[in-house]
Amino acid sequence: MQRKWYLSLTLSAAIAAILVTLYSPDTFDRFFVSSPERQAVREEDVLQTVARIKANVKIGSSKQEVASLFGDRYVLVDDQGDLENGCEEFWLYRFFTEEDYQPSVPDHVIDEEGIRSGKVGAAFFIGWKDERVYLYTIAYLQGPNHDLHFYSNVNGTIEDEIMNPDGTTTRSE
């Protein structure tokens, strides 16, 4: 009789531990919630992705190198003749994007609304010339004020700016 009670108690404790782990806010949100709560993307996940881009993508990186890092789930961007920078092709990766999200701006325009609302965690735009990275930009939120950062690497010239809601920009520290 005492063995049954001990087995029952052990089983109950194990189930309780599993439920606490699964239903803790961090674990639950990360794996199970696909509602707007999940779309408030965790800043640390976005910043890790941004750091991965900055550390691994260089001017001159090949398409194969970039695709091996980030996959083939990019948008082939039609710049509609707006970008006169010598690039032959453009790709856009959107990370941590709300399912079925459709931006209200063309793909070659920074989706400030989507990023500020959390529907897009980060946007990584690449310009290709001769099958090599010629330029890239990253747009994402960071900091206690959830500033919209715009990081660019254009032919080796790096800039990091904060895009203010009024349309002005300031240099990031």
Side-chain angles (χ1 to χ4, degrees):
M1 182 74 162
Q2 197 168 10
R3 283 181 84 173
K4 281 186 174 178
W5 176 80
Y6 178 76
L7 183 59
S8 176
L9 182 62
T10 303
L11 187 57
S12 295
I15 290 171
I18 290 169
L19 289 175
V20 166
T21 300
L22 287 178
Y23 289 100
S24 72
D26 183 52
T27 304
F28 189 78
D29 286 349
R30 184 178 290 268
F31 294 109
F32 298 107
V33 178
S34 61
S35 65
E37 290 85 25
R38 171 66 181 115
Q39 302 317 316
V41 177
R42 294 167 41 112
E43 185 174 322
E44 65 189 67
D45 293 333
V46 171
L47 294 180
Q48 286 175 359
T49 299
V50 169
R52 186 171 173 225
I53 294 168
K54 290 177 180 179
N56 293 292
V57 177
K58 308 294 181 210
I59 300 302
S61 295
S62 71
K63 287 183 177 182
Q64 294 77 19
E65 290 169 323
V66 172
S68 72
L69 288 167
F70 303 105
D72 61 0
R73 298 196 61 182
Y74 57 84
V75 175
L76 189 57
V77 176
D78 177 1
D79 71 353
Q80 300 175 2
D82 286 352
L83 303 175
E84 296 181 19
N85 53 27
C87 293
E88 299 155 349
E89 185 175 15
F90 301 96
W91 290 3
L92 173 64
Y93 286 94
R94 289 187 185 99
F95 299 103
F96 309 105
T97 303
E98 185 176 293
E99 190 174 330
D100 299 326
Y101 172 69
Q102 295 297 319
S104 60
V105 295
D107 292 326
H108 69 283
V109 175
I110 298 169
D111 184 10
E112 289 187 53
E113 178 184 327
I115 295 169
R116 289 185 192 280
S117 70
K119 293 180 180 180
V120 176
F124 174 36
F125 181 84
I126 308 165
W128 300 99
K129 185 173 185 173
D130 299 325
E131 304 280 318
R132 301 279 178 184
V133 173
Y134 185 73
L135 64 85
Y136 70 89
T137 64
I138 314 165
Y140 60 98
L141 295 181
Q142 181 181 4
N145 297 329
H146 301 289
D147 294 323
L148 177 57
H149 283 254
F150 182 71
Y151 176 92
S152 65
N153 186 338
V154 179
N155 204 20
T157 302
I158 296 173
E159 292 185 8
D160 192 0
E161 299 176 323
I162 296 173
M163 298 179 69
N164 301 311
D166 66 2
T168 61
T169 59
T170 54
R171 287 214 182 266
S172 177
E173 300 294 317

